[in-house]
Amino acid sequence: MKQYEVVIIGAGAAGLMCAATAARRGRRVALLDNSKKVGKKILMSGGGRCNFTNRIVEPDNYVSANPHFCKSALKRYTQWDFIALVERYQIPYHEREHGQLFCDHSARQILDMLLSECEKAGVSLVTDCEIQTIDYSAGYRLATRQGDYETNSLVVATGGLSIPTMGSSGFGYEIARQFGLKVLPVSAGLVPFTFSDRMKGVTERLSGIALPVAISTGDRTFSEQMLFTHRGLSGPAVLQISNYWQPGDTIRVDLLPGESAHELLGLWKKEHPKGLLKNLLARRLPKKLVVELMSLYWSEWSERTITDMPDQLLKGIADHLNGWLLKPAGTEGYRTAEVTLGGVDTDELSSKTFESKRQPGLFFIGEVMDVTGHLGGFNFQWAWSSGYAAGQYV
Ligand code: FDA
């Protein structure tokens, strides 16, 4: 029987941060992972460059049934704390649009930095360690393929369900249920949309085309690039809005963000009375998209000049351009999702320590709980902040 003051399950972003923080405080820490290689999601993140945080992090960048839950941890370990760590390790980085911070060279540098923090603090990292059972009576007893572990503080950092080939598992949710904690329904987040029927053909024919749009659902709008794919729609604007989309919802795509299509068509009618709508639209939108829009909605006007088109019709066209209503058939699911929405209910946890309110010594950190960030480095920041907060306490 191996005894540790803290046992952490899951050596991903949150688990590594928590382990290093707790061990620096002098705690004896074992960090167990069922994979042979740890931090796989860090390595594949940000196209291999790891978007490790964002210059501006607000609670509003997170989706959770309790929008206030994330505030305390985000305040106690901020993006500046993580940036300071990155700078201490002299990892070169750069800022991209919307404040996103990426490594100049490789995500491996972020993983190596965290592993080095763990090693320096004396964390025992055990890989290829499948956990078979967890029992509790006064303390926790874990039976694993690498022997039994005993601890008073058990931290669950097993992440979400996205990218099953990367070792994702629902194990964290099982542990929560075993100890009577509520788990909110989970679904794929930051994920492309799929379409059926006519729109499927449209997106297939337009695949590879990207354009700036503003996409909305409910009271949320994201202004970024949208990409047509063989299966539907992707690109940053689509991934962002997917966190707020429910099956059956319609999304609204403004193809001319920041511009009144009504005024634009009125201007064209005055300045180019003999112009064809399709040619005029192609000044602002990709030509192939214009062809598809014309054939979907305005085919009978394809060869008529804009002067021929009644004002009422032009108003309808303008409304369409500033608010193309689309109904996704679904999402690509966990296969391509960056994150998992939902998870362990934050009402069950202390927002300061991440300890379960009903089960002493049991902690949940990172993506396994019901806190999901926007695209842009916010999910890693949540892993760092929640990992640090629990690490300070365990
Ligand atoms: P994480 O998934 O990192 O770690 C969980 C760990 O638990 C893994 O090591 C796993 O092997 C282990 N585990 C699972 N089940 C287990 C079991 N039964 N027993 C033992 N161990 C177990 N975010 C961001 O901010 N910027 C970015 O650039 C990106 N890019 C990105 C790209 C792609 C392709 C994906 C899929 C995701 C991102 N993300 C991201 C999201 C980010 O990777 C994610 O939110 C964090 O990794 C979550 O950190 P956790 O530590 O909670 O889980």
Side-chain angles (χ1 to χ4, degrees), residues 10 12-14 33-35 45-46 51 157 159 163 169 171 338 366-367 377 379-380:
D33 202 292
N34 62 352
S35 287
S45 67
N51 177 193
I163 323 272
S169 77
F171 190 53
E338 277 199 17
E367 201 183 312
N379 284 295
F380 278 138

Side-chain angles (χ1 to χ4, degrees), residues 56 80 204 241 311:
I56 301 162
W80 305 112
E204 247 167 38
I241 208 73
D311 284 346

Side-chain angles (χ1 to χ4, degrees), residues 293-312:
L293 288 171
M294 292 299 298
S295 92
L296 272 174
Y297 305 113
W298 313 301
S299 51
E300 67 268 40
W301 298 94
S302 171
E303 299 308 322
R304 306 276 294 274
T305 66
I306 192 163
T307 311
D308 291 340
M309 303 174 88
D311 284 346
Q312 200 52 33

Side-chain angles (χ1 to χ4, degrees), residues 32-256:
L32 316 180
D33 202 292
N34 62 352
S35 287
K36 287 199 171 74
K37 288 190 179 141
V38 299
K40 283 194 225 165
K41 279 195 187 157
I42 297 175
L43 292 178
M44 73 190 298
S45 67
R49 295 250 160 90
C50 188
N51 177 193
F52 55 82
T53 191
N54 196 290
R55 214 166 41 74
I56 301 162
V57 179
E58 306 279 356
D60 193 46
N61 296 120
Y62 294 88
V63 186
S64 170
N66 176 359
H68 304 293
F69 182 85
C70 62
K71 290 181 182 172
S72 167
L74 290 175
K75 254 196 217 144
R76 275 185 297 148
Y77 190 88
T78 68
Q79 66 275 37
W80 305 112
D81 293 316
F82 195 78
I83 292 166
L85 180 62
V86 168
E87 289 180 350
R88 244 190 352 265
Y89 275 76
Q90 298 179 339
I91 298 173
Y93 65 92
H94 60 278
E95 182 175 335
R96 296 193 193 162
E97 58 187 358
H98 305 293
Q100 305 172 88
L101 301 183
F102 285 79
C103 296
D104 285 356
H105 304 305
S106 166
R108 154 90 35 211
Q109 292 176 293
I110 298 291
L111 179 58
D112 287 348
M113 172 185 83
L114 293 165
L115 287 170
S116 151
E117 285 290 288
C118 285
E119 199 186 319
K120 278 195 280 186
V123 172
S124 303
L125 175 62
V126 187
T127 55
D128 200 11
C129 180
E130 192 190 307
I131 291 129
Q132 287 145 338
T133 56
I134 301 174
D135 293 311
Y136 177 78
S137 69
Y140 295 89
R141 188 180 271 248
L142 285 74
T144 83
R145 278 216 303 201
Q146 307 229 26
D148 291 353
Y149 288 80
E150 216 170 50
T151 186
N152 286 326
S153 292
L154 180 64
V155 183
V156 182
T158 46
L161 293 170
S162 60
I163 323 272
T165 49
M166 286 289 116
S168 311
S169 77
F171 190 53
Y173 311 129
E174 280 172 40
I175 301 173
R177 289 194 191 99
Q178 177 185 341
F179 290 99
L181 277 70
K182 190 170 168 200
V183 178
L184 298 177
V186 292
S187 61
L190 299 180
V191 63
F193 287 132
T194 56
F195 287 85
S196 52
D197 308 327
R198 267 179 99 185
M199 262 311 284
K200 186 167 189 296
V202 171
T203 63
E204 247 167 38
R205 286 189 293 279
L206 294 178
S207 78
I209 291 178
L211 73 161
V213 298
I215 303 191
S216 318
T217 186
D219 60 359
R220 280 285 164 171
T221 301
F222 290 94
S223 298
E224 290 188 54
Q225 292 283 312
M226 176 176 88
L227 172 72
F228 290 93
T229 72
H230 284 284
R231 307 169 121 251
L233 291 175
S234 186
V238 172
L239 301 186
Q240 297 280 33
I241 208 73
S242 73
N243 272 358
Y244 294 89
W245 180 83
Q246 301 291 332
D249 283 356
T250 297
I251 55 168
R252 202 182 127 94
V253 182
D254 185 346
L255 294 167
L256 296 168

